[in-house]
Amino acid sequence: VYQVSTSGSSKFAGGKASPDNGPLQVPPATADNSETDAGDTPQGPQAMGGAQLLALIQTAARCGVPIVQSCMQRLLWHCNQVLFKQLTSWMVHGKLLDPYNEFFIKQHGSKVQQPWEAPGSRQQVQQQREASAQEALLNWHQSFQVYDPAVPPHISAAAAESVAFIGKAVLLLKNPAGAFRGAELLQYRDTLEFMQALRTLQAAPVFDRVAFERTVEGIRAKVAALLWHLVVVQADLMAHLAAIKDYFLMAKGELYHSFLVDARKVLAAPPRPHTADADVNIAFQQAALKSTAQHDALFARFRIHWAPPQPPLDPSQRLTTPPPLPSPANAYALPNIEVPRFDANWDSMWLEYQGEWPLGLLITPQVLGRYNALFQMLLRLKRVQLRLEEAWQALSALDQWQERSEVGRRARAEGSGAKATLQDLRQLRHHMSHLISNLQIYIQVDVIESNYSQLEARIAAAQDFSEVERAHANYLHALMQQTFLNTTTICRTIAALFLHVQELCQLVDAATS
């Protein structure tokens, strides 16, 4: 027989008691059915977890014998008390109460944040903020997950995911990190409201699935609104997204034009492994002083880097390569994304962004990896455009020399074939420049600016962190799709164009040298 004590802990045992007080006993003669037959289920209390036990009792409660049905419903109520204690601990306090590993929320490889402590020196405060921010983000993204086999039969998968979201949000709000460390982000009245709502469900004689899902959704909406206010309003998300657009997506075109002009000599030579990173970063900082970036308070959060190039693993990848991911995101892959190659020596430049807590809830290492793929695509387009402009300047200088110099006029008169060749080079350069310029305009205006305007509108209309997260994910997906980075054939066509631009510029250099 099954026995559940009124304290809420479940076990198998014998004994007799009334249905309302103390343990409940199911008469052996009526409890023997196909669902609970010893040949169909494992023997002993250790062979069955909480979800399996609830499913077994729920099945037995459908018996047509009134006394068995009454006993099983009462038994199921007592088992649900244990479940509600676990739910209350997780959804109200952000703590897992699961000594026997039966709850459907599991923790993986992270410890819960420590309470706020009085700060020490300024350096200790900074280190403490960074460590707590990393721990908070790890708890949010990786530490807690729904374990499907442990989900009780009367809780849907969507409700289980909502329960997981609520607990993670409560844990994060109760243990703020970074500049918000020590702040009270979740008010006591909200905690009390959550607890009372769950106690109402807990006291009901029968588990009401509709009422449970309605309550869970109400709590989820509340904590999601608190997260929205924290990320969007208090952390000023839109200012950081605008800065990401300025620097990752090159909305500040004058900055990158100045950077590429200043770094022309550096980029023309092979990189020196020990100083290449510093070389490009010095040029980047100097370019900022010549542009509007010098007045941007968020520019200090961005830093350009160079990583040693990795050769393609397959000959078919000669023209395209997966973009390198910034540390500490090296563990994350970018499936089905390729960036057209231009310069094997310097294609591995990438941009680092140092965001503060809680922006890491939205701007994850995977997200930064995709932004870096877009950054590399746009930077290579910019370099190709400047290379074509340099070719035009060289051809124009050659024309002027031929018109003004006596030697040049004599060379023009004697070499009609060379004149035709230079004319062909001018026309080819013009067609290539026209294509590259229109591709740039399409990406910057029709793709980036258009989608960013939609993102601004969606975030302004949202009052829920989940809606903001979904809007940003859709925005980034649209950017990747409309810039063709997930379309291999188009990427390789653009890479072939880049290769032809290199060959053209080499011909122009040879003709004008």
Side-chain angles (χ1 to χ4, degrees):
V1 296
Y2 300 104
Q3 174 182 311
V4 178
S5 64
T6 55
S7 63
S9 60
S10 61
K11 60 182 179 178
F12 288 96
K16 295 182 179 180
S18 66
D20 295 323
N21 296 309
L24 303 173
Q25 179 183 7
V26 181
T30 60
D32 187 13
N33 53 52
S34 60
E35 287 80 9
T36 59
D37 185 72
D40 295 334
T41 58
Q43 297 295 322
Q46 300 300 327
M48 188 177 298
Q52 292 82 5
L53 181 61
L54 288 172
L56 185 66
I57 298 174
Q58 193 175 48
T59 301
R62 299 191 184 100
C63 178
V65 180
I67 186 173
V68 175
Q69 186 179 30
S70 176
C71 289
M72 285 298 169
Q73 287 177 349
R74 185 64 180 172
L75 182 63
L76 184 61
W77 182 87
H78 280 285
C79 289
N80 283 331
Q81 299 307 296
V82 179
L83 175 62
F84 273 109
K85 285 185 177 181
Q86 294 174 326
L87 288 170
T88 300
S89 176
W90 175 244
M91 297 171 64
V92 176
H93 305 290
K95 297 180 180 179
L96 284 179
L97 182 62
D98 190 18
Y100 299 106
N101 198 30
E102 292 183 317
F103 194 43
F104 59 88
I105 305 296
K106 303 297 180 184
Q107 184 176 8
H108 303 279
S110 177
K111 57 184 179 181
V112 180
Q113 296 167 265
Q114 298 299 321
W116 181 83
E117 298 176 357
S121 66
R122 181 176 299 179
Q123 184 178 4
Q124 290 175 339
V125 170
Q126 183 64 25
Q127 292 175 351
Q128 193 177 37
R129 285 182 176 179
E130 292 177 358
S132 62
Q134 291 177 359
E135 186 70 27
L137 296 179
L138 183 63
N139 284 335
W140 178 265
H141 291 296
Q142 298 180 19
S143 295
F144 300 101
Q145 298 175 357
V146 175
Y147 182 58
D148 292 334
V151 178
H154 43 279
I155 295 181
S156 65
E161 291 292 342
S162 295
V163 169
F165 175 86
I166 292 168
K168 292 192 297 182
V170 168
L171 175 62
L172 184 138
L173 293 170
K174 282 180 171 288
N175 299 274
F180 295 89
R181 190 174 178 86
E184 186 179 4
L185 301 178
L186 182 63
Q187 300 295 325
Y188 174 74
R189 62 177 180 272
D190 295 326
T191 301
L192 186 62
E193 180 183 346
F194 300 163
M195 185 178 296
Q196 290 175 345
L198 290 174
R199 282 183 176 177
T200 300
L201 294 174
Q202 185 177 359
V206 179
F207 186 92
D208 189 337
R209 183 169 180 171
V210 175
F212 174 79
E213 293 184 355
R214 187 186 303 116
T215 300
V216 167
E217 177 56 28
I219 298 175
R220 190 211 65 80
K222 178 64 177 180
V223 296
L226 293 175
L227 277 182
W228 171 86
H229 186 267
L230 172 65
V231 174
V232 177
V233 179
Q234 293 181 266
D236 200 4
L237 172 65
M238 291 311 303
H240 287 263
L241 289 179
I244 287 175
K245 180 172 73 76
D246 287 342
Y247 301 114
F248 275 96
L249 306 182
M250 296 192 184
K252 289 188 179 293
E254 78 282 0
L255 167 66
Y256 286 98
H257 179 82
S258 179
F259 164 67
L260 292 176
V261 170
D262 292 346
R264 180 179 300 167
K265 292 183 178 180
V266 174
L267 300 179
R272 295 173 293 181
H274 299 292
T275 62
D277 190 84
D279 292 339
V280 295
N281 197 62
I282 289 173
F284 190 64
Q285 298 296 329
Q286 290 176 346
L289 298 177
K290 303 175 184 178
S291 68
T292 56
Q294 64 176 326
H295 305 297
D296 186 359
L298 294 179
F299 174 74
R301 298 185 178 276
F302 297 86
R303 182 182 177 89
I304 198 167
H305 292 278
W306 174 85
Q310 299 179 355
L313 300 178
D314 187 86
S316 63
Q317 298 177 350
R318 185 174 65 90
L319 299 178
T320 59
T321 181
L325 296 178
S327 178
N330 295 321
Y332 298 98
L334 293 179
N336 303 322
I337 292 177
E338 292 183 350
V339 181
R341 302 185 69 178
F342 173 67
D343 181 356
N345 289 327
W346 294 99
D347 276 352
S348 55
M349 286 188 291
W350 58 275
L351 204 61
E352 177 189 7
Y353 165 73
Q354 297 176 343
E356 287 191 353
W357 189 92
L359 296 174
L361 300 178
L362 193 68
I363 307 172
T364 64
Q366 299 97 320
V367 167
L368 289 177
R370 284 164 172 77
Y371 275 123
N372 259 300
L374 291 163
F375 167 76
Q376 291 181 336
M377 173 68 171
L378 293 169
L379 184 63
R380 294 171 196 182
L381 271 175
K382 193 76 173 175
R383 292 189 66 192
V384 170
Q385 184 186 43
L386 288 178
R387 194 76 176 92
L388 289 170
E389 289 180 2
E390 292 172 1
W392 174 80
Q393 292 173 356
L395 290 172
S396 299
L398 181 59
D399 283 341
Q400 293 176 2
W401 175 78
Q402 289 179 342
E403 290 177 359
R404 296 177 182 177
S405 169
E406 182 178 350
V407 176
R409 287 193 297 270
R410 188 182 305 116
R412 173 179 290 187
E414 294 176 355
S416 58
K419 179 180 179 181
T421 301
L422 290 176
Q423 184 65 26
D424 292 339
L425 287 178
R426 292 189 191 93
Q427 290 181 356
L428 180 58
R429 191 219 66 84
H430 173 75
H431 292 318
M432 287 181 170
S433 180
H434 177 76
L435 177 57
I436 294 297
S437 298
N438 278 275
L439 181 58
Q440 273 191 312
I441 294 171
Y442 160 73
I443 292 177
Q444 292 290 163
V445 178
D446 296 341
V447 176
I448 295 175
E449 293 297 336
S450 175
N451 283 288
Y452 185 76
S453 298
Q454 295 178 20
L455 175 66
E456 283 184 311
R458 289 172 183 170
I459 291 180
Q463 297 292 324
D464 187 316
F465 176 76
S466 297
E467 294 178 11
V468 173
E469 195 173 27
R470 186 161 48 250
H472 182 258
N474 292 337
Y475 162 73
L476 195 53
H477 175 74
L479 292 184
M480 302 302 293
Q481 189 174 39
Q482 295 173 23
T483 54
F484 316 117
L485 293 184
N486 55 1
T487 307
T488 303
T489 54
I490 298 180
C491 279
R492 292 182 178 176
T493 301
I494 296 174
L497 173 61
F498 289 175
L499 181 61
H500 293 321
V501 169
Q502 288 278 43
E503 295 171 348
L504 170 69
C505 293
Q506 290 172 3
L507 288 174
V508 172
D509 292 340
T512 57
S513 60

